[in-house]
């Protein structure tokens, strides 16, 4: 619910509602990112982002077996995170 005085203009009210809605979206995205951080660990560098089973070296050779994995490894299905959860 949102309260506004009757004297408020429609433009002013819409701007306030849009600001609230946008803040809700940002908070949801932040919460989703924190859940991914807890499950899949920190983000990879942008040039290293890929699904681990398809990771290749500079020559195009698959390197997924040579990447060291910790005991809590959980592969990120999007390939954006390391998979090493804290």
């Amino acid at each position: 619910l949102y309260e506004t005085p009757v004297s408020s203009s429609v433009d002013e009210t819409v701007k306030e509602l849009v600001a609230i809605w946008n803040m809700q979206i940002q908070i949801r995205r932040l919460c989703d990112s924190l859940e991914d951080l807890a499950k899949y660990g920190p983000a990879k560098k942008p040039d290293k982002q890929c699904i681990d089973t398809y990771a290749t070296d500079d020559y195009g050779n698959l390197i997924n077996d040579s990447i060291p994995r910790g005991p809590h490894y959980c592969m990120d299905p999007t390939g954006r995170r390391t998979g090493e959860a804290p």
Side-chain angles (χ1 to χ4, degrees), residues 21-64:
W21 178 254
N22 289 341
M23 184 60 68
Q24 287 179 342
I25 291 172
Q26 290 176 345
I27 291 169
R28 285 184 195 141
R29 289 181 64 196
L30 179 62
C31 291
D32 290 343
S33 294
L34 290 174
E35 289 174 6
D36 286 348
L37 174 64
K39 189 171 183 180
Y40 302 117
K44 295 178 184 178
K45 293 180 181 178
D47 62 333
K48 299 291 183 185
Q49 290 184 355
C50 68
I51 297 176
D52 290 339
T53 55
Y54 301 110
T56 57
D57 60 12
D58 293 335
Y59 304 105
N61 301 318
L62 287 175
I63 58 170
N64 57 338

Side-chain angles (χ1 to χ4, degrees), residues 59-73:
Y59 304 105
N61 301 318
L62 287 175
I63 58 170
N64 57 338
D65 293 333
S66 63
I67 299 172
R69 308 279 189 232
H72 303 289
Y73 177 76

